[in-house]
Amino acid sequence: MAGKIILASSSPRRADILGKCNLKFEIMPSPYIEDHTTTVFSYDFIETLAYNKANAVLPLLSEPSIVIGADTVVVLDNEILGKPDGEQGAFDMLKKLSGKTHFVVTSIVVINSETNEVKKNSTTSYVTFEDLTDEQIYYYIRNFKPFDKAGSYGIQEMPDGYIKSYTGDLENIIGISSSSLTELLKKAE
């Protein structure tokens, strides 16, 4: 078994979830620059992003490791809603999501640096927003500053009256499914 577990992400939400899994891991943010030119959703595209994030960390390793790369996207009408470009971008995204059901996909790729074996998995969850007023949207943006979040929101911080319902894995919506990750890590040993 490769030695260390490396999370190739600077996401505090992913680190929190891994911490709750009682995993000993180190954070090594990936130097990979994400491609934001594609806005049409496909599982292959998201899994490739997660792979590229993990793979970019391999040359930085000083010892055998298991590297975890992940990418989360919010998808409405087959369009990827990435991280917003400022307050207006966040407003426009949340306005699009208002009153609708969208899905959230997190792809996880695990690479064993000793064997170069790659394991991957994508988890899909669904979120339905309430009909939001412009005032609610601006309140959320100004108080929670969701500029580093896909789709311009974090479900774990949404005030009451914003999310109507969700189905599937909540951790997946937040940023990484611990159950999916645990299965991948077992396969990567």
Side-chain angles (χ1 to χ4, degrees), residues 30-50:
S30 177
Y32 177 70
I33 307 295
E34 290 181 50
D35 172 9
H36 293 287
T37 55
T38 301
T39 57
V40 177
F41 172 75
S42 74
Y43 284 97
D44 189 51
F45 176 70
I46 304 311
E47 288 172 356
T48 299
L49 282 177

Side-chain angles (χ1 to χ4, degrees), residues 26-184:
E26 291 180 19
I27 295 171
M28 189 179 290
S30 177
Y32 177 70
I33 307 295
E34 290 181 50
D35 172 9
H36 293 287
T37 55
T38 301
T39 57
V40 177
F41 172 75
S42 74
Y43 284 97
D44 189 51
F45 176 70
I46 304 311
E47 288 172 356
T48 299
L49 282 177
Y51 170 81
N52 289 342
K53 287 178 179 181
N55 192 51
V57 166
L58 293 180
L60 309 175
L61 300 174
S62 59
E63 62 185 275
S65 303
I66 299 284
V67 180
I68 303 164
D71 197 76
T72 301
V73 292
V74 170
V75 183
L76 178 67
D77 301 328
N78 216 43
E79 178 190 359
I80 295 170
L81 301 180
K83 294 174 185 171
D85 183 17
E87 188 173 298
Q88 187 60 49
F91 178 87
D92 293 344
M93 276 189 210
L94 291 169
K95 192 77 172 163
K96 275 186 185 179
L97 294 170
S98 175
K100 295 186 180 143
T101 299
H102 63 276
F103 62 95
V104 179
V105 177
T106 299
S107 292
I108 306 169
V109 171
V110 174
I111 303 175
N112 182 322
S113 73
E114 263 186 320
T115 64
N116 287 322
E117 191 173 2
V118 176
K119 301 292 179 192
K120 63 184 176 179
N121 165 308
S122 291
T123 305
T124 304
S125 303
Y126 294 85
V127 179
T128 303
F129 270 59
E130 295 285 4
D131 284 313
L132 303 178
T133 65
D134 289 359
E135 291 75 22
Q136 282 177 297
I137 294 172
Y138 281 122
Y139 172 84
Y140 176 73
I141 293 167
R142 291 188 178 130
N143 288 280
F144 294 92
K145 304 191 181 348
F147 307 117
D148 66 335
K149 296 177 177 74
S152 302
Y153 78 94
I155 195 167
Q156 69 281 7
E157 65 189 21
M158 283 296 222
D160 288 343
Y162 282 68
I163 302 292
K164 188 173 193 174
S165 63
Y166 75 87
T167 55
D169 187 323
L170 179 62
E171 287 179 334
N172 176 61
I173 301 167
I174 294 170
I176 196 165
S177 164
S178 61
S179 57
S180 294
L181 177 61
T182 302
E183 286 301 308
L184 283 178

